[in-house]
C-alpha cells in the first residue's frame, strides 16, 4: 500500500468515527420532508417508489430505443427513486448527476446492492459467520463490508437476510444465520449495527435491509420460492424474532418475500407490512419488494393482472417496487380513478425520502462518490486481515479421532486431494457480485505457505465442468473418473491425506435447492476409493448448507467444516489444520443423518409418544430405517482442547429474574475458546413449547487447566413465548435449564415460576 493510500484510509476512518456524527441539520427531517412533498406531483411521488436494476452501461451512449430508452426517459423525468446493481464511483456519480441535475426537483437516487458478505473483499458466507457465535466479529465484518461498499458509491445493502430455516435442502440457508431464533436475533442485530453504525449520514455507513419479510425460510419441501404454510406459533416464535431484533437495532429498510405465506403472497400481505411492521412495531423506514415480486402476484394466482398487483401491493404497504414496472405504469391511474388512496402514495414516498435524508443525500448527493476514497479503500489489506480472523472463527471441527489434528508442521508427506482444494472462486461462495473470480486463497496455497511438509496435490475428480454464472445451473461431473488413478497413487504413499470436498460455492444460494444433500458428483465415490488405500484422512468440507455425511462420519477420522470462507479461505483452513488456530465454531444448523430427517432441528415440539415403549414396538415417534438423532446437533463443535462443565447453580430468583452460574474448565492441553450455551425448557404450557430453546450464550477463552465461572441472568424474555396473536406471555410452571457446549447439553437444574 502506498503511504498516500494509508494516510487517506486512516484519515477517512478518523473522520467517520469522530466528526460525521455531528453533521447538523438546521431544519428537522420532518420539516424538510413536508416542504419537499408539498412540491411534488403525484407522478414524482410514485417515481420515488420505482426502482430499476442497472439498465445500460453508463459509460457508453444513452439508450435510444426499446425499454431501456423508456427507463432512461423516466430517470430524467424524476420517475425513478432508486437503482440497484450499479457500483463504482464513476457509474454512481453519472447516474446521480442525472437525478440531481436533470430532473425537476433534483431528488437524489439511493443506490442498493447485495452486499451480503463483503463487497470486493469477501467474508465467509453468512451461515459460516454465524458458526462463530462471535457477535463482535460479525458486527465488524458487516462494518467493513459497509466501508468498502460505500467507497464504491453504494449507500444501501440488501442485507442482512434474517430468515430462520430448518431445511438444508433450501439453498438460501447459506445467506442466513441458521435455525435458531435467539442466535439469529443476536446476529441480525449485530449485522444491522455493523452496516449502519451509529450515524447513517456518515459516508462510510450504509442503510441495512432486513429480508425477506416473512417466512421465506420455510418453503415446502425446501424448494426455492415455494409456498409457505406455517402456523401462528412458528410465525411469531421462530420467524419474527430476528426481524424484530433488526427493528431494535434501528434498521431502516425491509424487503418482503417472493413466497406466499398461508395463501397470501408476502408482497401483498397487509397483515405483515402494515399491521405488524408499521403499526405494531412502529417502523418508519420503507419496505422494498423483492425482485418483480409485485408482478409475480399474478403468477401466484393472487392478482388478476399487474395493475391489480400494484393495487394490492401498495395497499399492503410495499413502498418500493423493485423491477416490476408495476407502480410506475399503474399507480397514477389507480389513484386518479379513486381505486387507490393518494395518502398511501404520500406515505410511501415520505418513508423513502426520509431514509434519503437520513443518509445525508440531500445535503450531499455525491457523499459516496469520492474517487480518492474509492482508490484508497477498495481491497485494503485491513479488510483481508479482518476476513482472515472471521474465517478462522467460522470453522467448526466436527470430528478428530485420535487427535489426528493438528498436523505436524514438518516432515510429513501430505496428499492434498479434491477439485475444491485448488479452487480460488468457489471458496468465495454465492453473492459475490463485485468480487473478482479467482481471488480467494485456495487450500493448496494456504497449505503450501507452511514449507516444512511435502504437499502433493491431485484433483481426484472434477466437480463443476460447465460455465460459472450467477443465474445459471452448474454442470456437475458425474461420469469422468479419469483423475481418480493419480489421486489414489498419491494417497497411497502419503502420511496423511487431506481431502477438500463438498459443494461448489454456486451450489447454494438463491435458486439452488437440492434433494440429495450428500457430497455431489463423484466425490463420495472418490472418498471411499481413497479410504481403501489410506485411512488417515482429514476431510475438509466446503459447503453452503448442512450436508448428510453418515458414511464420512463413520469412517473418516478427522472432519473439518470449512463452509465457503471467502477471500482468505485457504489461509484460515491451513492455520486450523496446523494448529496455529484452535477451532471454536459451533453449528448454527443441525446436520441430518439423512435427507429424510429434514426438517430436523433441536427446538422441536415433542409428540405424545416420544419414547420407545418396549423393544421393537412401532407405536412411537420414530423412523423404521434411521434414528431420530441428527448426525451433528445444533450448537455442536469440537476444539483441540476439551471443556468440562460443573457446578450449575441457581444463585437467586426474584420473580422472573433468575441468576445462575456454571463452572467451565479447560481440561485439555491447548488454550481454547468455548461457546457456553444455556437452554430453557418450559415443561408445560398452552400452546406447548419446544423441548428446549437457546436463551443465552457466552464465548469464553480458557487456558489449559483454567476454570471460569460463567454467570447468566434470565429475565422474562427467556421464559416466555409469543401467543398466536403475537403478544408475549410468560406462564407459571416448572422450567428446566440445560447448560453445555451444544444443544444436547445435559447439566441441568430446575425452578418454578
Ligand atoms: C432477489 C433476492 O431474493 C433478494 O434477496 C435480493 O436482494 C434481490 N434479488 C436483489 O438482488
Amino acid at each position: 500500500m502506498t503511504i498516500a493510500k494509508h494516510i487517506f484510509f486512516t484519515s477517512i476512518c478518523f473522520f467517520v468515527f469522530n466528526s460525521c456524527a455531528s453533521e447538523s441539520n438546521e431544519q428537522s427531517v420532518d420539516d424538510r420532508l413536508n416542504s419537499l412533498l408539498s412540491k411534488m406531483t403525484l407522478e414524482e411521488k410514485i417515481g420515488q417508489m420505482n426502482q430499476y436494476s442497472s439498465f445500460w452501461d453508463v459509460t457508453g451512449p444513452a439508450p435510444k430505443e426499446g425499454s431501456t430508452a423508456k427507463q432512461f426517459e423516466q430517470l430524467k423525468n424524476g420517475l425513478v427513486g432508486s437503482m440497484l446493481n450499479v457500483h463504482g464511483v464513476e457509474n454512481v456519480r453519472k447516474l446521480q448527476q442525472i437525478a440531481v441535475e436533470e430532473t425537476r426537483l433534483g431528488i437524489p437516487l439511493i443506490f442498493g446492492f447485495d452486499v451480503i458478505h463483503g463487497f470486493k473483499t469477501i467474508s465467509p458466507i453468512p451461515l459460516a459467520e454465524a458458526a462463530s457465535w462471535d457477535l463482535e466479529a460479525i458486527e465488524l465484518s458487516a462494518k467493513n463490508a459497509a466501508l468498502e461498499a460505500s467507497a464504491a458509491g453504494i449507500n444501501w445493502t440488501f442485507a442482512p437476510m434474517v430468515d430462520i430455516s430448518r431445511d438444508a435442502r433450501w439453498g438460501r440457508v447459506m445467506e442466513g444465520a441458521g435455525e435458531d431464533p435467539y442466535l439469529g436475533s443476536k446476529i441480525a442485530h449485530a449485522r444491522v449495527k455493523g452496516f449502519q453504525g451509529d450515524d447513517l449520514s456518515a459516508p462510510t455507513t450504509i442503510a441495512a435491509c432486513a429480508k425477506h419479510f416473512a417466512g421465506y425460510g420455510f418453503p415446502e419441501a425446501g424448494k426455492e420460492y415455494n409456498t409457505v404454510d406455517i402456523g401462528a406459533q412458528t410465525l411469531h416464535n421462530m420467524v419474527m424474532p430476528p426481524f424484530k431484533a433488526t427493528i431494535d437495532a434501528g434498521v431502516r429498510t425491509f424487503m418482503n418475500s417472493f413466497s406466499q405465506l398461508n395463501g397470501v403472497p408476502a408482497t401483498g400481505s397487509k397483515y405483515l407490512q402494515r399491521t405488524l411492521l408499521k403499526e405494531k412495531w412502529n417502523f418508519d423506514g420503507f419496505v422494498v419488494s423483492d425482485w418483480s415480486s409485485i408482478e409475480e402476484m399474478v403468477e401466484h394466482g393472487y392478482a388478476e393482472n399487474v395493475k391489480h398487483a400494484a393495487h394490492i401491493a401498495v395497499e399492503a404497504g410495499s413502498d418500493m417496487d423493485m423491477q416490476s414496472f408495476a407502480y410506475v405504469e399503474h399507480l397514477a391511474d389507480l389513484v386518479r380513478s379513486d381505486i387507490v388512496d393518494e395518502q398511501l402514495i404520500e406515505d410511501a414516498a415520505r418513508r423513502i425520502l426520509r431514509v434519503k435524508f437520513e443518509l445525508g443525500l440531500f445535503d450531499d448527493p455525491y457523499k459516496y462518490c469520492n474517487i480518492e476514497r474509492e482508490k484508497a479503500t477498495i481491497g485494503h489489506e485491513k479488510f483481508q486481515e479482518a476476513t482472515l480472523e472471521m474465517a478462522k472463527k467460522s470453522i467448526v471441527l466436527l470430528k478428530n479421532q485420535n487427535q489426528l489434528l493438528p498436523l505436524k508442521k514438518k516432515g510429513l508427506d501430505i496428499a492434498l486431494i479434491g477439485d475444491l482444494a485448488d479452487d480460488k472462486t468457489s471458496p468465495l461462495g454465492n453473492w459475490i457480485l463485485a468480487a473478482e473470480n479467482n481471488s480467494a486463497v485456495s487450500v493448496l496455497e494456504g497449505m503450501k505457505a507452511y514449507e516444512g511438509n511435502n504437499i502433493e496435490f491431485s484433483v481426484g475428480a472434477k466437480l463443476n465442468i460447465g460455465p460459472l454464472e450467477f443465474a445459471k445451473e452448474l454442470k456437475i461431473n458425474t461420469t469422468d473418473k479419469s483423475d481418480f488413478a493419480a489421486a489414489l497413487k498419491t494417497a497411497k504413499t502419503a502420511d496423511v491425506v487431506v481431502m477438500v470436498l463438498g459443494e461448489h460455492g454456486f451450489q447454494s444460494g438463491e435458486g439452488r435447492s437440492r434433494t440429495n444433500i450428500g457430497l455431489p458428483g463423484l466425490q463420495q465415490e472418490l472418498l471411499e476409493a481413497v479410504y481403501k488405500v489410506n485411512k488417515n484422512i482429514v476431510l475438509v468440507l466446503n459447503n453452503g448448507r448442512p450436508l448428510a455425511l453418515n458414511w464420512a462420519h463413520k469412517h473418516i477420522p478427522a472432519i473439518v467444516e470449512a463452509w465457503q470462507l471467502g477471500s482468505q479461505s485457504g489461509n484460515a483452513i491451513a492455520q486450523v489444520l496446523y494448529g496455529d488456530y484452535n477451532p471454536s465454531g459451533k453449528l448454527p444448523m443441525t446436520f441430518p443423518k439423512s435427507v429424510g430427517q429434514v426438517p430436523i432441528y433441536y427446538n422441536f415440539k415433542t409428540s405424545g409418544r416420544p419414547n420407545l415403549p418396549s423393544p421393537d414396538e412401532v407405536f412411537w415417534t420414530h423412523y423404521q430405517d434411521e434414528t431420530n438423532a441428527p448426525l451433528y446437533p445444533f450448537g455442536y463443535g469440537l476444539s483441540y482442547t476439551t471443556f468440562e462443565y460443573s457446578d450449575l447453580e441457581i444463585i437467586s430468583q426474584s420473580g422472573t429474574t433468575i441468576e445462575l452460574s456454571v463452572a467451565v474448565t479447560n481440561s485439555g492441553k491447548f488454550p481454547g475458546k468455548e461457546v457456553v450455551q444455556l437452554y430453557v425448557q418450559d415443561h408445560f404450557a398452552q400452546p406447548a413449547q419446544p423441548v428446549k430453546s437457546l436463551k443465552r450464550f457466552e464465548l469464553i477463552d480458557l487456558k489449559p487447566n483454567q476454570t471460569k465461572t460463567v454467570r447468566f441472568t434470565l429475565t422474562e424474555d427467556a421464559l416466555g413465548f409469543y401467543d398466536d396473536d403475537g403478544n408475549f406471555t410468560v406462564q407459571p410452571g416448572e422450567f428446566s435449564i440445560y447448560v453445555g457446549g451444544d444443544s444436547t447439553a445435559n447439566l441441568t437444574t430446575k425452578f418454578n415460576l
Side-chain angles (χ1 to χ4, degrees):
M1 180 177 36
T2 63
I3 291 177
K5 189 168 177 173
H6 183 76
I7 292 172
F8 189 88
F9 185 80
T10 314
S11 59
I12 192 79
C13 292
F14 179 80
F15 170 69
V16 168
F17 300 119
N18 294 280
S19 59
C20 286
S22 63
E23 191 176 283
S24 69
N25 282 331
E26 302 266 294
Q27 258 182 314
S28 77
V29 167
D30 279 319
D31 290 345
R32 294 173 81 186
L33 270 170
N34 289 338
S35 148
L36 177 60
L37 281 160
S38 70
K39 295 183 197 124
M40 292 172 77
T41 63
L42 173 63
E43 277 74 11
E44 283 166 340
K45 288 177 198 162
I46 293 168
Q48 288 305 305
M49 301 163 69
N50 183 29
Q51 185 188 48
Y52 287 142
S53 182
S54 157
F55 52 86
W56 99 100
D57 175 5
V58 291
T59 57
K64 295 250 169 346
E65 52 197 30
S67 63
T68 47
K70 191 168 168 195
Q71 285 172 267
F72 186 65
E73 276 313 298
Q74 288 173 342
L75 178 63
K76 288 202 299 183
N77 291 331
L79 301 182
V80 180
S82 171
M83 300 280 301
L84 75 150
N85 293 335
V86 180
H87 64 92
V89 161
E90 195 191 348
N91 296 324
V92 170
R93 180 178 280 276
K94 277 205 170 155
L95 284 165
Q96 195 67 300
Q97 248 161 0
I98 297 176
V100 172
E101 291 171 21
E102 297 187 37
T103 67
R104 191 179 76 91
L105 292 170
I107 300 175
L109 297 163
I110 174 172
F111 289 89
F113 200 76
D114 288 287
V115 184
I116 306 297
H117 53 115
F119 180 69
K120 198 68 141 194
T121 311
I122 298 296
S123 310
I125 56 169
L127 186 66
E129 287 196 354
S132 72
W133 297 51
D134 187 331
L135 301 174
E136 270 174 40
I138 292 172
E139 183 172 333
L140 178 65
S141 168
K143 182 173 167 179
N144 284 339
L147 265 165
E148 222 187 12
S150 60
I154 309 298
N155 38 44
W156 177 25
T157 176
F158 304 125
M161 182 183 109
V162 302
D163 298 309
I164 295 299
S165 185
R166 300 160 164 177
D167 201 322
R169 293 169 298 184
W170 188 53
R172 265 196 118 161
V173 297
M174 58 76 58
E175 199 181 337
E179 75 188 36
D180 183 66
Y182 180 77
L183 178 62
S185 298
K186 293 282 175 198
I187 291 175
H189 192 280
R191 287 194 166 130
V192 171
K193 282 280 174 210
F195 288 128
Q196 296 193 165
D198 295 326
D199 176 14
L200 199 56
S201 74
T204 48
T205 57
I206 59 182
C209 181
K211 71 187 189 186
H212 304 84
F213 199 58
Y216 185 47
F218 283 75
E220 280 186 356
K223 192 162 52 174
E224 181 66 304
Y225 312 132
N226 211 10
T227 199
V228 175
D229 214 318
I230 52 175
Q233 278 297 293
T234 303
L235 182 67
H236 293 300
N237 290 294
M238 298 295 151
V239 172
M240 287 303 164
F243 284 105
K244 179 62 171 51
T246 67
I247 296 276
D248 298 340
V251 74
R252 298 313 291 134
T253 74
F254 262 55
M255 185 186 290
N256 56 37
S257 148
F258 285 125
S259 44
Q260 314 191 354
L261 174 66
N262 304 334
V264 182
T267 308
S269 171
K270 212 184 252 186
Y271 172 69
L272 288 174
Q273 296 168 113
R274 290 212 185 275
T275 313
L276 206 55
L277 178 61
K278 293 179 179 172
E279 286 159 25
K280 191 163 184 168
W281 292 351
N282 278 322
F283 175 64
D284 70 352
F286 70 89
V287 180
V288 62
S289 80
D290 203 343
W291 183 288
S292 79
S293 69
I294 296 182
E295 184 189 8
E296 287 174 21
M297 286 198 282
V298 179
E299 282 295 333
H300 273 291
Y302 193 76
E304 195 179 350
N305 49 39
V306 178
K307 187 170 183 176
H308 186 206
H311 173 194
I312 294 172
V314 78
E315 286 200 331
S318 229
D319 301 306
M320 187 182 275
D321 171 2
M322 183 192 286
Q323 203 63 24
S324 276
F325 307 88
Y327 282 179
V328 71
E329 301 274 336
H330 300 293
L331 278 189
D333 235 26
L334 286 164
V335 171
R336 295 217 163 89
S337 25
D338 284 335
I339 296 172
V340 165
D341 182 350
E342 189 167 353
Q343 277 312 309
L344 297 181
I345 311 293
E346 173 97 4
D347 175 62
R350 178 183 292 275
R351 288 169 176 278
I352 294 162
L353 291 168
R354 180 186 296 285
V355 175
K356 291 187 180 182
F357 272 111
E358 291 170 353
L359 282 164
L361 288 169
F362 283 95
D363 301 314
D364 177 5
Y366 305 109
K367 172 173 260 181
Y368 304 85
C369 295
N370 181 328
I371 201 96
E372 290 308 317
R373 191 184 147 219
E374 183 178 42
K375 280 193 211 142
T377 307
I378 306 290
H380 194 282
E381 72 200 33
K382 288 242 174 308
F383 301 137
Q384 293 289 343
E385 285 160 22
T387 201
L388 174 59
E389 284 314 300
M390 187 75 248
K392 289 188 283 191
K393 290 176 175 179
S394 305
I395 292 174
V396 185
L397 180 63
L398 295 175
K399 188 175 172 192
N400 193 18
Q401 200 173 302
N402 305 328
Q403 276 84 50
L404 179 54
L405 290 172
L407 299 173
K408 280 195 303 183
K409 289 182 186 160
K410 275 196 195 129
L412 290 179
D413 276 330
I414 299 180
L416 179 62
I417 296 175
D419 199 11
L420 290 171
D422 189 29
D423 198 318
K424 291 168 66 61
T425 301
S426 173
L428 300 173
N430 208 329
W431 282 129
I432 45 166
L433 302 176
E436 307 290 338
N437 276 352
N438 229 15
S439 64
V441 177
S442 69
V443 180
L444 178 59
E445 289 168 332
M447 289 194 73
K448 282 217 157 158
Y450 286 80
E451 288 170 355
N453 288 330
N454 175 35
I455 314 262
E456 285 248 2
F457 169 70
S458 188
V459 67
K462 280 264 165 228
L463 181 56
N464 171 43
I465 48 174
L468 203 60
E469 281 177 57
F470 181 56
K472 296 275 160 67
E473 300 283 358
L474 294 184
K475 193 161 188 290
I476 299 297
N477 172 26
T478 54
T479 50
D480 178 6
K481 299 185 196 165
S482 56
D483 294 314
F484 266 44
L488 297 181
K489 189 163 173 242
T490 327
K492 201 166 184 174
T493 54
D495 297 311
V496 57
V497 185
V498 175
M499 294 190 75
V500 184
L501 306 178
E503 297 179 305
H504 189 279
F506 273 24
Q507 281 186 285
S508 58
E510 186 180 348
R512 279 137 170 137
S513 295
R514 294 175 63 204
T515 60
N516 177 347
I517 53 172
L519 296 170
L522 295 168
Q523 296 177 104
Q524 180 65 33
E525 205 177 322
L526 177 69
L527 179 63
E528 291 183 30
V530 171
Y531 181 77
K532 281 195 185 126
V533 300
N534 191 336
K535 300 199 170 9
N536 218 22
I537 297 175
V538 176
L539 172 60
V540 176
L541 295 168
N542 283 185
N543 42 299
R545 54 157 64 76
L547 297 176
L549 300 162
N550 248 350
W551 187 92
H553 179 70
K554 274 192 200 121
H555 298 88
I556 304 301
I559 307 180
V560 175
E561 175 53 78
W563 317 102
Q564 283 116 14
L565 291 175
S567 303
Q568 286 290 326
S569 175
N571 286 335
I573 292 168
Q575 289 184 29
V576 163
L577 295 185
Y578 283 120
D580 282 341
Y581 188 86
N582 186 358
S584 56
K586 302 276 188 175
L587 295 177
M589 246 185 121
T590 305
F591 275 42
K593 285 186 177 146
S594 138
V595 72
Q597 292 177 313
V598 173
I600 181 169
Y601 47 96
Y602 84 94
N603 49 357
F604 61 91
K605 294 192 181 176
T606 189
S607 73
R609 297 181 175 192
N611 302 315
L612 174 67
S614 61
D616 296 337
E617 195 178 315
V618 294
F619 300 118
W620 67 294
T621 304
H622 75 296
Y623 299 103
Q624 284 184 289
D625 55 356
E626 188 52 271
T627 64
N628 287 337
L631 183 62
Y632 303 117
F634 172 83
Y636 171 82
L638 303 172
S639 160
Y640 294 149
T641 192
T642 45
F643 299 101
E644 274 167 26
Y645 286 74
S646 61
D647 304 324
L648 174 62
E649 264 182 77
I650 295 178
I651 306 170
S652 70
Q653 178 175 1
S654 156
T656 49
T657 302
I658 291 143
E659 281 200 75
L660 300 109
S661 70
V662 64
V664 188
T665 304
N666 181 342
S667 49
K669 296 199 177 71
F670 292 82
K673 281 192 216 301
E674 169 73 332
V675 183
V676 182
Q677 302 163 42
L678 182 149
Y679 296 83
V680 174
Q681 179 183 17
D682 182 350
H683 283 274
F684 54 91
Q686 291 85 40
Q689 291 305 298
V691 290
K692 56 174 69 158
S693 305
L694 178 73
K695 291 298 176 186
R696 297 287 183 267
F697 63 87
E698 197 168 319
L699 185 56
I700 58 167
D701 272 299
L702 285 175
K703 297 189 192 87
N705 296 320
Q706 191 187 359
T707 298
K708 271 190 187 166
T709 300
V710 179
R711 281 181 172 233
F712 291 109
T713 305
L714 298 181
T715 41
E716 266 194 15
D717 63 289
L719 304 171
F721 54 87
Y722 291 91
D723 66 17
D724 288 0
D725 297 321
N727 298 317
F728 196 74
T729 163
V730 180
Q731 291 181 0
E734 191 184 13
F735 290 75
S736 284
I737 301 293
Y738 304 90
V739 179
D742 65 52
S743 59
T744 64
N746 54 14
L747 186 62
T748 183
T749 184
K750 277 192 177 174
F751 62 90
N752 283 290
L753 277 189

Coordinates of all heavy atoms in Angstrom, one line a residue, residues 125-147:
I125 N -19.4 -16.9 4.1 CA -20.8 -16.8 3.9 C -21.5 -16.6 5.2 O -21.0 -17.0 6.2 CB -21.4 -18.0 3.1 CG1 -21.1 -19.3 3.9 CG2 -20.9 -18.1 1.7 CD1 -21.8 -20.5 3.4
P126 N -22.7 -15.9 5.2 CA -23.3 -15.6 6.5 C -23.5 -16.8 7.4 O -23.4 -16.7 8.6 CB -24.6 -14.9 6.1 CG -24.3 -14.3 4.7 CD -23.4 -15.3 4.1
L127 N -23.9 -18.0 6.8 CA -24.1 -19.1 7.7 C -22.8 -19.5 8.4 O -22.8 -19.9 9.6 CB -24.6 -20.3 6.8 CG -25.0 -21.6 7.6 CD1 -26.2 -21.3 8.5 CD2 -25.3 -22.7 6.6
A128 N -21.7 -19.4 7.7 CA -20.4 -19.7 8.3 C -20.1 -18.7 9.4 O -19.7 -19.1 10.5 CB -19.3 -19.6 7.2
E129 N -20.3 -17.4 9.1 CA -20.0 -16.4 10.2 C -20.9 -16.7 11.4 O -20.4 -16.5 12.6 CB -20.4 -15.0 9.7 CG -19.4 -14.4 8.7 CD -19.5 -12.9 8.5 OE1 -20.4 -12.3 9.0 OE2 -18.6 -12.4 7.8
A130 N -22.1 -17.2 11.2 CA -23.0 -17.5 12.3 C -22.4 -18.6 13.2 O -22.6 -18.6 14.4 CB -24.4 -17.9 11.8
A131 N -21.6 -19.5 12.5 CA -21.0 -20.5 13.3 C -19.9 -20.0 14.3 O -19.5 -20.8 15.2 CB -20.3 -21.6 12.3
S132 N -19.5 -18.8 14.1 CA -18.5 -18.2 15.1 C -19.2 -17.9 16.4 O -18.5 -17.8 17.4 CB -17.9 -17.0 14.5 OG -18.8 -15.9 14.5
W133 N -20.4 -17.6 16.4 CA -21.2 -17.2 17.6 C -20.5 -15.9 18.2 O -20.6 -15.6 19.4 CB -21.4 -18.2 18.6 CG -22.2 -19.4 18.2 CD1 -22.0 -20.2 17.1 CD2 -23.3 -20.0 18.9 NE1 -22.9 -21.2 17.0 CE2 -23.7 -21.1 18.2 CE3 -23.9 -19.7 20.1 CZ2 -24.8 -21.9 18.6 CZ3 -25.0 -20.6 20.5 CH2 -25.4 -21.6 19.7
D134 N -19.7 -15.3 17.4 CA -18.9 -14.1 17.9 C -19.5 -12.8 17.3 O -19.3 -12.4 16.2 CB -17.5 -14.3 17.4 CG -16.5 -13.2 18.0 OD1 -17.0 -12.1 18.3 OD2 -15.3 -13.5 18.1
L135 N -20.3 -12.2 18.2 CA -21.2 -11.1 17.7 C -20.3 -9.9 17.3 O -20.6 -9.2 16.4 CB -22.2 -10.8 18.8 CG -23.2 -11.9 19.1 CD1 -24.1 -11.5 20.3 CD2 -24.0 -12.4 17.9
E136 N -19.2 -9.7 18.1 CA -18.4 -8.5 17.8 C -17.7 -8.7 16.4 O -17.6 -7.8 15.6 CB -17.3 -8.4 18.8 CG -17.7 -7.6 20.0 CD -16.6 -7.6 21.0 OE1 -15.4 -7.6 20.7 OE2 -17.0 -7.6 22.2
A137 N -17.3 -9.9 16.2 CA -16.6 -10.2 14.9 C -17.6 -10.1 13.7 O -17.3 -9.6 12.6 CB -16.0 -11.6 14.9
I138 N -18.8 -10.5 14.0 CA -19.9 -10.5 12.9 C -20.2 -9.0 12.6 O -20.3 -8.6 11.5 CB -21.1 -11.3 13.3 CG1 -20.8 -12.8 13.3 CG2 -22.3 -11.0 12.4 CD1 -21.8 -13.7 13.9
E139 N -20.3 -8.2 13.7 CA -20.6 -6.8 13.5 C -19.4 -6.1 12.7 O -19.7 -5.3 11.8 CB -20.8 -6.1 14.9 CG -21.1 -4.6 14.7 CD -21.5 -3.9 16.0 OE1 -22.0 -4.6 17.0 OE2 -21.3 -2.7 16.1
L140 N -18.2 -6.5 13.1 CA -17.1 -5.9 12.4 C -17.1 -6.3 10.9 O -16.7 -5.4 10.0 CB -15.7 -6.4 13.0 CG -14.5 -5.8 12.4 CD1 -14.4 -4.3 12.5 CD2 -13.2 -6.5 13.0
S141 N -17.4 -7.5 10.6 CA -17.5 -7.9 9.2 C -18.5 -7.1 8.4 O -18.2 -6.7 7.3 CB -17.8 -9.4 9.2 OG -18.1 -9.8 8.0
A142 N -19.6 -6.8 9.0 CA -20.6 -6.0 8.3 C -20.1 -4.6 8.2 O -20.3 -3.9 7.2 CB -22.0 -6.0 9.0
K143 N -19.4 -4.1 9.2 CA -18.9 -2.7 9.2 C -17.9 -2.6 8.1 O -17.9 -1.6 7.3 CB -18.3 -2.4 10.6 CG -17.8 -1.1 10.7 CD -17.4 -0.9 12.2 CE -16.5 0.3 12.4 NZ -16.2 0.4 13.8
N144 N -17.0 -3.5 8.0 CA -16.0 -3.5 6.9 C -16.6 -3.6 5.5 O -16.2 -2.9 4.6 CB -15.0 -4.6 7.1 CG -14.0 -4.3 8.2 OD1 -13.8 -3.2 8.6 ND2 -13.4 -5.4 8.7
A145 N -17.7 -4.4 5.4 CA -18.4 -4.5 4.1 C -19.0 -3.1 3.8 O -18.9 -2.7 2.6 CB -19.5 -5.6 4.2
A146 N -19.5 -2.5 4.8 CA -20.1 -1.1 4.5 C -19.0 -0.1 4.1 O -19.2 0.7 3.2 CB -20.9 -0.7 5.8
L147 N -17.9 -0.2 4.8 CA -16.8 0.7 4.5 C -16.4 0.5 3.0 O -16.2 1.5 2.3 CB -15.6 0.4 5.4 CG -15.4 1.1 6.6 CD1 -14.4 0.4 7.5 CD2 -14.9 2.5 6.3

